[in-house]
Amino acid sequence: MSELLDHLRSTRLVDHHVHGCWPTDGPRDRFENALNEANTEPLPAWDSAFDSQLGFAIRARCAPLLDLDPHADPDDYWQRRTELGEAEVAARFVGSAGVSDWLVDTGFQGETCGPERLASWSGSNARTVLRLESLAEQAVAVGGDYPATFDDLVRARVDDHQAVGFKTVIAYRTGFAIDWSEPDRAAVDEAARRWADQGGTRLSDPMLLCFGIRTALKIQAERGGLPLQVHVGFGDRDEDLQRTDPLLLLPLLREPIATEASIALLHCYPYERQAGYLAQAFAGVHLDVGLAINYLGGRSRDLIARSLELAPFRKLLYSSDAYGPAELHYLGAELWRTGTAAVLDRFVTDGDWSPADARRIADLIAADNARRLYQL
Amino acid sequence: MSELLDHLRSTRLVDHHVHGCWPTDGPRDRFENALNEANTEPLPAWDSAFDSQLGFAIRARCAPLLDLDPHADPDDYWQRRTELGEAEVAARFVGSAGVSDWLVDTGFQGETCGPERLASWSGSNARTVLRLESLAEQAVAVGGDYPATFDDLVRARVDDHQAVGFKTVIAYRTGFAIDWSEPDRAAVDEAARRWADQGGTRLSDPMLLCFGIRTALKIQAERGGLPLQVHVGFGDRDEDLQRTDPLLLLPLLREPIATEASIALLHCYPYERQAGYLAQAFAGVHLDVGLAINYLGGRSRDLIARSLELAPFRKLLYSSDAYGPAELHYLGAELWRTGTAAVLDRFVTDGDWSPADARRIADLIAADNARRLYQL
Amino acid sequence: MSELLDHLRSTRLVDHHVHGCWPTDGPRDRFENALNEANTEPLPAWDSAFDSQLGFAIRARCAPLLDLDPHADPDDYWQRRTELGEAEVAARFVGSAGVSDWLVDTGFQGETCGPERLASWSGSNARTVLRLESLAEQAVAVGGDYPATFDDLVRARVDDHQAVGFKTVIAYRTGFAIDWSEPDRAAVDEAARRWADQGGTRLSDPMLLCFGIRTALKIQAERGGLPLQVHVGFGDRDEDLQRTDPLLLLPLLREPIATEASIALLHCYPYERQAGYLAQAFAGVHLDVGLAINYLGGRSRDLIARSLELAPFRKLLYSSDAYGPAELHYLGAELWRTGTAAVLDRFVTDGDWSPADARRIADLIAADNARRLYQL
């Protein structure tokens, strides 16, 4: 094993964007469907979620934690999982991820556990990231003057949860090619009324989405910390993936409120090189290539390498974006460690980096950059 | 040689999208121009089609089948080709490709042979894929009520040719950013009249293109089999390549008629990662990275690797998209075999895949996925 | 060391797009800011320009030329740089780049030296490339009939400077998605008047930008030589990077004046594969991946490899796009040599290229293609 990988195995990570895992048993369908990020429909009979890079990575790297041989057969894997029960499976994987801090997006919880459970299973810390669109749905339900209500509610939730950041899923709602200029207060209120009249669910009005993001950036500017996480790229099929090219965020980033703001572009596949450009161009822009690391499995090494192009090294973060099966909470960390060690060892072998620099930059991405950004 | 490559050399492929090769002699210009997919003009005097990845790959990997050393000089190569004659050259390459089934797009034949000839030279099967835009040109020439005429004609041609699939070249006509909603029957008929008045050649009306594709999907839903092949990405310079990003097909794929349909995204360079996303997001979406494998030559390995990212392994297909010189029919298979073996062997070496899985997935891509999709 | 790298170290390059370097001392801020192409603001206190692939590449590969060990500490590097003085630093790096011809874009000079100084430091030749937008600003200041004044001025400047080419920075002004049809002479004159009334600085009128480019192509057609360099892709943050996808140049390239014209797409990251497609599709389109080679440092090898996909080998060029610190003039050449040798050696090892071809193609990209294109 490389010395660097050895070092990373003993380094605890900050998983700066993650969700809960399932604490209770569920059917095989739930598990297999969770191995496909983009398609939420059942697979055809001729297909198998295991026949994918993620499925192979789970069999290769997760099976041993369930006392199976690497590359265990899918049926054997599922049987062993069932024997142990979801809670034991979760405890093993979450406990083995080597994560010191889970920053948990609690905006969409489904059957998954909350931050406390992740923390207790791993003997580490868990903090809350607030999803702006969920807060908007709460604010519109309150009624009254929407701009003031939303602003108050966001501040209150930050305090209630001692939240460490905000997240927006505007990628899933309109994509990034919207009008990012400051909306008129009265127009925001009127748009909120229209939205309330339509039921006030699943916010997709571009002006209200923009208002939510601007409110978060304003609170960040006042209080410090509280970076804005922006889902970018690969996600489920409701998304117009081509409208989530992070370059479409340029008009926002050029707005005075955003140019120096702390922003984390999440995941970014297949636009990780474009995200790296933004991280070089704007002082506060950071990025990770989580989520896709899990889905690319044996190909994640190349993705990690591409994330190390234009992006300054103090702008790179680690995340798993795990949701549901706790394999994802572990696997993200495992693939990141092995992939990063392989990529950085290669830089050293080629004479491009010193061994000391490789270790230092690995530590920055593993945890130190996130500690600085989120003021942990 | 790796065991996996050894295995692949004895595995017969389904080339799920190919054209005929030349059966008769032609001048050197014809040959050299055929080595440039994008530019159909003669090259300047200072250029040479041999000085490209494809040219180098032909010299490296095709020369030995003409009894020359690898990397033979272009002039020697051409001289030997001339000595043997096009028919002998074609018989050697087609016969050595190790292909069990050629699925032949007969929509643009030029000087190339038909499916029967490919079959006889290789001792294998050849089946027909119907190009929708060619059928539309036949239907508009018939006159009468266009929607009915086109529908009847497509069904008749499927029966006449025992066709196994459809193909659309809408990429070359309008690109993918069109209105994909169901067009009004009367409006289709009127658009067809306008097209007939303009001569009825080279269909480029977006509504008629959409109608053709929807008709094919309707017949597919009724009869089973009959996947729709969609040319995506890299092609000749008439195409607006940026309008063939497969993500622009999302509005079509979200239409009820397409969401579960069998669709094969052809070739996809440089959008192979986007195509992989669609293959994960939609149950019936498949893809190949043919055509570009030939054109990338020594770089095709990385393209094959990128095709093994998000795409589920049962959604990947092999094609050469060869047209003209029979080198392309052979080289596509040869580069796919060596590239796939190298990529999959690497996954095994890194511990990400088991050797048995590598062989199984290679077999799926080589032939089994296509056999299932096309009901061969 | 590989024989090919050995050969390339003794081969003199044509740097077909470069700027001057600083001849006089400046503060550390000037140096560190010059290591970030995209962001011209000062970095936050927690960041360091050295913690980037470019910073690591300078420490790894430039430190020895300043008598330091590879991977020297940034403070030691800066101290040594200061001891020697900018002129000595520049002389060492420019003199060690192994460049026979510098083709210098003199359109934006700032504190940098002119072509003569580059030539004298390196004992080689330096020629001028004229930036069209700078000439337009001179022409509008003259007043009178703008189309005639501009045309006359461009021809005069070509003669004055014995210029070898033109360059456009339309990427920074409007991006490529403009109306490329031939503008009406009277409309051009009127647009120029409007621009003059607004002060006549920083040309951003799409019609005048188009007119400038068309004028350059007309003069090229009349006189021969004089290729048009087009900045493509990665640059500073004023640019809408997504509007500089070179595929958006297709409407221009299909105009009769451009289809056969000599055009060099500069740098191209992250659109190098799209640029390669255009180089295959249009007889006169060339490209380089300079600028990004420096900024990618240890990752530049993969970029060089990707540039060797669709692009015919006689269409590839070398550039550094260096500006400011002379490290960039040297490092571009050093990374190009080591990266190209590694990529081509791999093709040879894999049996895709012969050793003789690898050397021949390396020579083409190093200098011969540029000598032909610029008629040096």
Side-chain angles (χ1 to χ4, degrees), chain B residues 46 51 53 59 61 237 240 269-270 272 299 306, chain C residues 254 273 277 280-281 308-309 313-314 352 357 360:
Chain B
W46 51 260
D51 274 354
Q53 290 284 13
R59 291 169 50 219
R61 296 177 187 271
R237 79 184 192 197
D240 283 343
Y269 184 93
E272 65 281 348
R299 281 286 301 158
R306 282 193 300 265
Chain C
R254 291 180 188 133
R273 300 197 297 160
Y277 167 78
Q280 178 173 122
L308 288 155
E309 296 191 351
F313 301 144
R314 300 189 190 186
D352 293 306
D357 280 324
R360 184 172 63 86

PDB file of all heavy atoms in Angstrom, chain B residues 46 51 53 59 61 237 240 269-270 272 299 306, chain C residues 254 273 277 280-281 308-309 313-314 352 357 360:
ATOM      1  N   TRP B  46      -0.822  20.111 -48.710  1.00  0.00           N
ATOM      2  CA  TRP B  46       0.114  19.920 -47.598  1.00  0.00           C
ATOM      3  C   TRP B  46      -0.394  18.928 -46.555  1.00  0.00           C
ATOM      4  O   TRP B  46       0.321  18.609 -45.616  1.00  0.00           O
ATOM      5  CB  TRP B  46       0.465  21.254 -46.929  1.00  0.00           C
ATOM      6  CG  TRP B  46      -0.715  22.101 -46.535  1.00  0.00           C
ATOM      7  CD1 TRP B  46      -1.218  23.170 -47.221  1.00  0.00           C
ATOM      8  CD2 TRP B  46      -1.556  21.941 -45.389  1.00  0.00           C
ATOM      9  NE1 TRP B  46      -2.312  23.701 -46.567  1.00  0.00           N
ATOM     10  CE2 TRP B  46      -2.543  22.967 -45.441  1.00  0.00           C
ATOM     11  CE3 TRP B  46      -1.587  21.062 -44.318  1.00  0.00           C
ATOM     12  CZ2 TRP B  46      -3.537  23.116 -44.468  1.00  0.00           C
ATOM     13  CZ3 TRP B  46      -2.573  21.201 -43.347  1.00  0.00           C
ATOM     14  CH2 TRP B  46      -3.540  22.218 -43.434  1.00  0.00           C
ATOM     15  N   ASP B  51      -2.095  11.061 -41.850  1.00  0.00           N
ATOM     16  CA  ASP B  51      -1.509  11.640 -40.642  1.00  0.00           C
ATOM     17  C   ASP B  51      -2.602  12.014 -39.648  1.00  0.00           C
ATOM     18  O   ASP B  51      -2.868  13.198 -39.367  1.00  0.00           O
ATOM     19  CB  ASP B  51      -0.626  12.841 -40.990  1.00  0.00           C
ATOM     20  CG  ASP B  51       0.789  12.405 -41.343  1.00  0.00           C
ATOM     21  OD1 ASP B  51       1.094  11.200 -41.203  1.00  0.00           O
ATOM     22  OD2 ASP B  51       1.595  13.261 -41.755  1.00  0.00           O
ATOM     23  N   GLN B  53      -5.055   9.856 -36.253  1.00  0.00           N
ATOM     24  CA  GLN B  53      -5.140   8.626 -35.454  1.00  0.00           C
ATOM     25  C   GLN B  53      -5.712   7.484 -36.283  1.00  0.00           C
ATOM     26  O   GLN B  53      -5.261   6.342 -36.186  1.00  0.00           O
ATOM     27  CB  GLN B  53      -6.000   8.850 -34.191  1.00  0.00           C
ATOM     28  CG  GLN B  53      -5.344   9.750 -33.133  1.00  0.00           C
ATOM     29  CD  GLN B  53      -4.235   9.038 -32.333  1.00  0.00           C
ATOM     30  OE1 GLN B  53      -3.766   7.945 -32.688  1.00  0.00           O
ATOM     31  NE2 GLN B  53      -3.781   9.693 -31.276  1.00  0.00           N
ATOM     32  N   ARG B  59      -2.545   1.770 -40.502  1.00  0.00           N
ATOM     33  CA  ARG B  59      -1.192   1.291 -40.794  1.00  0.00           C
ATOM     34  C   ARG B  59      -0.724   0.290 -39.731  1.00  0.00           C
ATOM     35  O   ARG B  59      -0.049  -0.700 -40.044  1.00  0.00           O
ATOM     36  CB  ARG B  59      -0.227   2.468 -40.906  1.00  0.00           C
ATOM     37  CG  ARG B  59      -0.500   3.327 -42.155  1.00  0.00           C
ATOM     38  CD  ARG B  59       0.286   4.636 -42.130  1.00  0.00           C
ATOM     39  NE  ARG B  59       1.675   4.359 -41.841  1.00  0.00           N
ATOM     40  CZ  ARG B  59       2.445   5.121 -41.056  1.00  0.00           C
ATOM     41  NH1 ARG B  59       1.958   6.212 -40.487  1.00  0.00           N
ATOM     42  NH2 ARG B  59       3.695   4.783 -40.828  1.00  0.00           N
ATOM     43  N   ARG B  61      -2.678  -1.654 -37.602  1.00  0.00           N
ATOM     44  CA  ARG B  61      -3.483  -2.835 -37.315  1.00  0.00           C
ATOM     45  C   ARG B  61      -4.096  -3.497 -38.544  1.00  0.00           C
ATOM     46  O   ARG B  61      -4.485  -4.661 -38.486  1.00  0.00           O
ATOM     47  CB  ARG B  61      -4.591  -2.463 -36.316  1.00  0.00           C
ATOM     48  CG  ARG B  61      -4.011  -2.026 -34.972  1.00  0.00           C
ATOM     49  CD  ARG B  61      -5.100  -1.593 -34.008  1.00  0.00           C
ATOM     50  NE  ARG B  61      -4.525  -1.030 -32.794  1.00  0.00           N
ATOM     51  CZ  ARG B  61      -4.205  -1.722 -31.707  1.00  0.00           C
ATOM     52  NH1 ARG B  61      -4.414  -3.028 -31.681  1.00  0.00           N
ATOM     53  NH2 ARG B  61      -3.686  -1.141 -30.649  1.00  0.00           N
ATOM     54  N   ARG B 237     -19.582  17.796 -41.337  1.00  0.00           N
ATOM     55  CA  ARG B 237     -19.616  19.180 -40.883  1.00  0.00           C
ATOM     56  C   ARG B 237     -20.913  19.917 -41.173  1.00  0.00           C
ATOM     57  O   ARG B 237     -21.067  21.066 -40.761  1.00  0.00           O
ATOM     58  CB  ARG B 237     -18.424  19.944 -41.451  1.00  0.00           C
ATOM     59  CG  ARG B 237     -18.569  20.370 -42.877  1.00  0.00           C
ATOM     60  CD  ARG B 237     -17.264  21.016 -43.323  1.00  0.00           C
ATOM     61  NE  ARG B 237     -17.420  21.693 -44.590  1.00  0.00           N
ATOM     62  CZ  ARG B 237     -16.416  22.052 -45.363  1.00  0.00           C
ATOM     63  NH1 ARG B 237     -15.183  21.758 -45.009  1.00  0.00           N
ATOM     64  NH2 ARG B 237     -16.625  22.684 -46.486  1.00  0.00           N
ATOM     65  N   ASP B 240     -24.690  20.713 -36.837  1.00  0.00           N
ATOM     66  CA  ASP B 240     -24.328  21.602 -35.728  1.00  0.00           C
ATOM     67  C   ASP B 240     -24.067  20.711 -34.530  1.00  0.00           C
ATOM     68  O   ASP B 240     -24.992  20.348 -33.798  1.00  0.00           O
ATOM     69  CB  ASP B 240     -25.473  22.575 -35.427  1.00  0.00           C
ATOM     70  CG  ASP B 240     -25.541  23.717 -36.432  1.00  0.00           C
ATOM     71  OD1 ASP B 240     -24.539  23.950 -37.150  1.00  0.00           O
ATOM     72  OD2 ASP B 240     -26.588  24.372 -36.502  1.00  0.00           O
ATOM     73  N   TYR B 269     -19.715  10.703 -29.321  1.00  0.00           N
ATOM     74  CA  TYR B 269     -18.540  11.557 -29.085  1.00  0.00           C
ATOM     75  C   TYR B 269     -18.836  12.984 -29.479  1.00  0.00           C
ATOM     76  O   TYR B 269     -19.379  13.187 -30.569  1.00  0.00           O
ATOM     77  CB  TYR B 269     -17.364  11.023 -29.914  1.00  0.00           C
ATOM     78  CG  TYR B 269     -16.051  11.739 -29.698  1.00  0.00           C
ATOM     79  CD1 TYR B 269     -15.131  11.270 -28.769  1.00  0.00           C
ATOM     80  CD2 TYR B 269     -15.719  12.880 -30.439  1.00  0.00           C
ATOM     81  CE1 TYR B 269     -13.912  11.909 -28.581  1.00  0.00           C
ATOM     82  CE2 TYR B 269     -14.500  13.527 -30.245  1.00  0.00           C
ATOM     83  CZ  TYR B 269     -13.607  13.035 -29.312  1.00  0.00           C
ATOM     84  OH  TYR B 269     -12.397  13.664 -29.131  1.00  0.00           O
ATOM     85  N   PRO B 270     -18.483  14.029 -28.727  1.00  0.00           N
ATOM     86  CA  PRO B 270     -17.793  14.004 -27.441  1.00  0.00           C
ATOM     87  C   PRO B 270     -18.747  14.053 -26.254  1.00  0.00           C
ATOM     88  O   PRO B 270     -18.376  14.567 -25.211  1.00  0.00           O
ATOM     89  CB  PRO B 270     -16.967  15.299 -27.499  1.00  0.00           C
ATOM     90  CG  PRO B 270     -17.865  16.259 -28.235  1.00  0.00           C
ATOM     91  CD  PRO B 270     -18.676  15.424 -29.206  1.00  0.00           C
ATOM     92  N   GLU B 272     -20.216  11.375 -24.744  1.00  0.00           N
ATOM     93  CA  GLU B 272     -20.442  10.010 -24.272  1.00  0.00           C
ATOM     94  C   GLU B 272     -20.808   9.979 -22.787  1.00  0.00           C
ATOM     95  O   GLU B 272     -21.541   9.079 -22.359  1.00  0.00           O
ATOM     96  CB  GLU B 272     -19.230   9.119 -24.552  1.00  0.00           C
ATOM     97  CG  GLU B 272     -17.943   9.459 -23.827  1.00  0.00           C
ATOM     98  CD  GLU B 272     -17.196  10.630 -24.454  1.00  0.00           C
ATOM     99  OE1 GLU B 272     -17.539  11.045 -25.578  1.00  0.00           O
ATOM    100  OE2 GLU B 272     -16.261  11.142 -23.808  1.00  0.00           O
ATOM    101  N   ARG B 299      -6.134   6.533 -29.185  1.00  0.00           N
ATOM    102  CA  ARG B 299      -6.795   7.198 -28.053  1.00  0.00           C
ATOM    103  C   ARG B 299      -8.159   6.583 -27.734  1.00  0.00           C
ATOM    104  O   ARG B 299      -8.889   7.098 -26.882  1.00  0.00           O
ATOM    105  CB  ARG B 299      -6.989   8.689 -28.359  1.00  0.00           C
ATOM    106  CG  ARG B 299      -5.752   9.531 -28.167  1.00  0.00           C
ATOM    107  CD  ARG B 299      -5.416   9.764 -26.711  1.00  0.00           C
ATOM    108  NE  ARG B 299      -6.509  10.425 -26.006  1.00  0.00           N
ATOM    109  CZ  ARG B 299      -6.675  10.386 -24.685  1.00  0.00           C
ATOM    110  NH1 ARG B 299      -5.828   9.714 -23.927  1.00  0.00           N
ATOM    111  NH2 ARG B 299      -7.671  11.007 -24.105  1.00  0.00           N
ATOM    112  N   ARG B 306     -14.407   5.970 -20.705  1.00  0.00           N
ATOM    113  CA  ARG B 306     -15.420   6.980 -20.323  1.00  0.00           C
ATOM    114  C   ARG B 306     -16.831   6.475 -20.556  1.00  0.00           C
ATOM    115  O   ARG B 306     -17.768   6.926 -19.912  1.00  0.00           O
ATOM    116  CB  ARG B 306     -15.206   8.287 -21.104  1.00  0.00           C
ATOM    117  CG  ARG B 306     -14.063   9.138 -20.560  1.00  0.00           C
ATOM    118  CD  ARG B 306     -14.100  10.540 -21.144  1.00  0.00           C
ATOM    119  NE  ARG B 306     -13.987  10.540 -22.582  1.00  0.00           N
ATOM    120  CZ  ARG B 306     -12.858  10.693 -23.262  1.00  0.00           C
ATOM    121  NH1 ARG B 306     -11.719  10.864 -22.630  1.00  0.00           N
ATOM    122  NH2 ARG B 306     -12.857  10.687 -24.571  1.00  0.00           N
TER     123      ARG B 306
ATOM    124  N   ARG C 254     -18.718  28.241 -42.004  1.00  0.00           N
ATOM    125  CA  ARG C 254     -19.469  27.893 -43.212  1.00  0.00           C
ATOM    126  C   ARG C 254     -19.604  29.067 -44.174  1.00  0.00           C
ATOM    127  O   ARG C 254     -20.092  28.883 -45.290  1.00  0.00           O
ATOM    128  CB  ARG C 254     -20.858  27.382 -42.820  1.00  0.00           C
ATOM    129  CG  ARG C 254     -20.818  26.024 -42.130  1.00  0.00           C
ATOM    130  CD  ARG C 254     -22.213  25.564 -41.776  1.00  0.00           C
ATOM    131  NE  ARG C 254     -22.179  24.362 -40.959  1.00  0.00           N
ATOM    132  CZ  ARG C 254     -22.900  24.189 -39.849  1.00  0.00           C
ATOM    133  NH1 ARG C 254     -23.725  25.135 -39.448  1.00  0.00           N
ATOM    134  NH2 ARG C 254     -22.809  23.065 -39.175  1.00  0.00           N
ATOM    135  N   ARG C 273     -11.708  18.894 -27.362  1.00  0.00           N
ATOM    136  CA  ARG C 273     -12.206  17.842 -28.252  1.00  0.00           C
ATOM    137  C   ARG C 273     -13.107  18.436 -29.336  1.00  0.00           C
ATOM    138  O   ARG C 273     -13.083  17.992 -30.487  1.00  0.00           O
ATOM    139  CB  ARG C 273     -12.934  16.756 -27.455  1.00  0.00           C
ATOM    140  CG  ARG C 273     -11.996  16.089 -26.427  1.00  0.00           C
ATOM    141  CD  ARG C 273     -12.542  14.770 -25.922  1.00  0.00           C
ATOM    142  NE  ARG C 273     -13.793  14.944 -25.208  1.00  0.00           N
ATOM    143  CZ  ARG C 273     -14.678  13.975 -24.998  1.00  0.00           C
ATOM    144  NH1 ARG C 273     -14.441  12.749 -25.461  1.00  0.00           N
ATOM    145  NH2 ARG C 273     -15.776  14.201 -24.324  1.00  0.00           N
ATOM    146  N   TYR C 277     -12.530  18.394 -33.502  1.00  0.00           N
ATOM    147  CA  TYR C 277     -13.548  18.103 -34.516  1.00  0.00           C
ATOM    148  C   TYR C 277     -13.504  19.146 -35.639  1.00  0.00           C
ATOM    149  O   TYR C 277     -13.526  18.794 -36.826  1.00  0.00           O
ATOM    150  CB  TYR C 277     -14.928  18.072 -33.859  1.00  0.00           C
ATOM    151  CG  TYR C 277     -16.074  18.085 -34.833  1.00  0.00           C
ATOM    152  CD1 TYR C 277     -16.446  16.933 -35.514  1.00  0.00           C
ATOM    153  CD2 TYR C 277     -16.779  19.258 -35.086  1.00  0.00           C
ATOM    154  CE1 TYR C 277     -17.496  16.947 -36.412  1.00  0.00           C
ATOM    155  CE2 TYR C 277     -17.831  19.278 -35.986  1.00  0.00           C
ATOM    156  CZ  TYR C 277     -18.192  18.119 -36.648  1.00  0.00           C
ATOM    157  OH  TYR C 277     -19.218  18.135 -37.538  1.00  0.00           O
ATOM    158  N   GLN C 280     -10.716  18.672 -37.967  1.00  0.00           N
ATOM    159  CA  GLN C 280     -10.941  17.621 -38.958  1.00  0.00           C
ATOM    160  C   GLN C 280     -11.926  18.082 -40.034  1.00  0.00           C
ATOM    161  O   GLN C 280     -11.783  17.746 -41.201  1.00  0.00           O
ATOM    162  CB  GLN C 280     -11.487  16.339 -38.300  1.00  0.00           C
ATOM    163  CG  GLN C 280     -11.773  15.258 -39.318  1.00  0.00           C
ATOM    164  CD  GLN C 280     -12.160  13.896 -38.744  1.00  0.00           C
ATOM    165  OE1 GLN C 280     -13.214  13.366 -39.032  1.00  0.00           O
ATOM    166  NE2 GLN C 280     -11.280  13.325 -37.951  1.00  0.00           N
ATOM    167  N   ALA C 281     -12.896  18.893 -39.640  1.00  0.00           N
ATOM    168  CA  ALA C 281     -13.991  19.251 -40.553  1.00  0.00           C
ATOM    169  C   ALA C 281     -13.619  20.350 -41.547  1.00  0.00           C
ATOM    170  O   ALA C 281     -14.187  20.407 -42.643  1.00  0.00           O
ATOM    171  CB  ALA C 281     -15.223  19.673 -39.758  1.00  0.00           C
ATOM    172  N   LEU C 308      -4.957  15.000 -29.131  1.00  0.00           N
ATOM    173  CA  LEU C 308      -4.537  14.073 -30.186  1.00  0.00           C
ATOM    174  C   LEU C 308      -5.640  13.071 -30.495  1.00  0.00           C
ATOM    175  O   LEU C 308      -5.393  11.882 -30.636  1.00  0.00           O
ATOM    176  CB  LEU C 308      -3.245  13.363 -29.762  1.00  0.00           C
ATOM    177  CG  LEU C 308      -2.004  14.261 -29.788  1.00  0.00           C
ATOM    178  CD1 LEU C 308      -0.936  13.756 -28.834  1.00  0.00           C
ATOM    179  CD2 LEU C 308      -1.428  14.337 -31.204  1.00  0.00           C
ATOM    180  N   GLU C 309      -6.890  13.556 -30.553  1.00  0.00           N
ATOM    181  CA  GLU C 309      -7.996  12.661 -30.885  1.00  0.00           C
ATOM    182  C   GLU C 309      -8.434  12.918 -32.332  1.00  0.00           C
ATOM    183  O   GLU C 309      -7.815  12.403 -33.263  1.00  0.00           O
ATOM    184  CB  GLU C 309      -9.113  12.797 -29.837  1.00  0.00           C
ATOM    185  CG  GLU C 309      -8.584  12.340 -28.456  1.00  0.00           C
ATOM    186  CD  GLU C 309      -9.634  12.157 -27.367  1.00  0.00           C
ATOM    187  OE1 GLU C 309     -10.809  12.524 -27.549  1.00  0.00           O
ATOM    188  OE2 GLU C 309      -9.257  11.610 -26.297  1.00  0.00           O
ATOM    189  N   PHE C 313      -2.963  15.436 -37.535  1.00  0.00           N
ATOM    190  CA  PHE C 313      -1.707  15.792 -36.878  1.00  0.00           C
ATOM    191  C   PHE C 313      -1.026  17.006 -37.494  1.00  0.00           C
ATOM    192  O   PHE C 313      -0.168  17.603 -36.871  1.00  0.00           O
ATOM    193  CB  PHE C 313      -0.760  14.595 -36.885  1.00  0.00           C
ATOM    194  CG  PHE C 313      -1.318  13.376 -36.198  1.00  0.00           C
ATOM    195  CD1 PHE C 313      -1.051  12.095 -36.684  1.00  0.00           C
ATOM    196  CD2 PHE C 313      -2.111  13.483 -35.061  1.00  0.00           C
ATOM    197  CE1 PHE C 313      -1.551  10.958 -36.054  1.00  0.00           C
ATOM    198  CE2 PHE C 313      -2.627  12.348 -34.425  1.00  0.00           C
ATOM    199  CZ  PHE C 313      -2.342  11.085 -34.930  1.00  0.00           C
ATOM    200  N   ARG C 314      -1.397  17.349 -38.709  1.00  0.00           N
ATOM    201  CA  ARG C 314      -0.769  18.543 -39.315  1.00  0.00           C
ATOM    202  C   ARG C 314      -1.502  19.827 -38.930  1.00  0.00           C
ATOM    203  O   ARG C 314      -1.195  20.901 -39.450  1.00  0.00           O
ATOM    204  CB  ARG C 314      -0.703  18.372 -40.838  1.00  0.00           C
ATOM    205  CG  ARG C 314       0.123  17.136 -41.216  1.00  0.00           C
ATOM    206  CD  ARG C 314       0.419  17.019 -42.685  1.00  0.00           C
ATOM    207  NE  ARG C 314       1.012  15.697 -42.978  1.00  0.00           N
ATOM    208  CZ  ARG C 314       1.488  15.346 -44.154  1.00  0.00           C
ATOM    209  NH1 ARG C 314       1.457  16.193 -45.184  1.00  0.00           N
ATOM    210  NH2 ARG C 314       1.993  14.141 -44.337  1.00  0.00           N
ATOM    211  N   ASP C 352       0.420   1.340 -31.289  1.00  0.00           N
ATOM    212  CA  ASP C 352      -0.443   2.147 -32.166  1.00  0.00           C
ATOM    213  C   ASP C 352       0.351   3.033 -33.126  1.00  0.00           C
ATOM    214  O   ASP C 352      -0.135   3.366 -34.201  1.00  0.00           O
ATOM    215  CB  ASP C 352      -1.380   3.010 -31.312  1.00  0.00           C
ATOM    216  CG  ASP C 352      -2.381   2.163 -30.542  1.00  0.00           C
ATOM    217  OD1 ASP C 352      -3.076   1.359 -31.186  1.00  0.00           O
ATOM    218  OD2 ASP C 352      -2.462   2.286 -29.304  1.00  0.00           O
ATOM    219  N   ASP C 357       7.294   7.471 -36.541  1.00  0.00           N
ATOM    220  CA  ASP C 357       6.136   8.358 -36.654  1.00  0.00           C
ATOM    221  C   ASP C 357       6.012   9.267 -35.434  1.00  0.00           C
ATOM    222  O   ASP C 357       5.658  10.438 -35.564  1.00  0.00           O
ATOM    223  CB  ASP C 357       4.849   7.534 -36.807  1.00  0.00           C
ATOM    224  CG  ASP C 357       4.645   7.040 -38.231  1.00  0.00           C
ATOM    225  OD1 ASP C 357       4.996   7.782 -39.175  1.00  0.00           O
ATOM    226  OD2 ASP C 357       4.131   5.915 -38.405  1.00  0.00           O
ATOM    227  N   ARG C 360       8.351  12.064 -35.869  1.00  0.00           N
ATOM    228  CA  ARG C 360       7.929  12.935 -36.965  1.00  0.00           C
ATOM    229  C   ARG C 360       6.753  13.815 -36.540  1.00  0.00           C
ATOM    230  O   ARG C 360       6.724  15.022 -36.798  1.00  0.00           O
ATOM    231  CB  ARG C 360       7.544  12.083 -38.178  1.00  0.00           C
ATOM    232  CG  ARG C 360       7.181  12.875 -39.418  1.00  0.00           C
ATOM    233  CD  ARG C 360       7.010  11.962 -40.641  1.00  0.00           C
ATOM    234  NE  ARG C 360       5.919  11.009 -40.485  1.00  0.00           N
ATOM    235  CZ  ARG C 360       4.639  11.281 -40.776  1.00  0.00           C
ATOM    236  NH1 ARG C 360       4.293  12.470 -41.212  1.00  0.00           N
ATOM    237  NH2 ARG C 360       3.713  10.349 -40.609  1.00  0.00           N
TER     238      ARG C 360
END
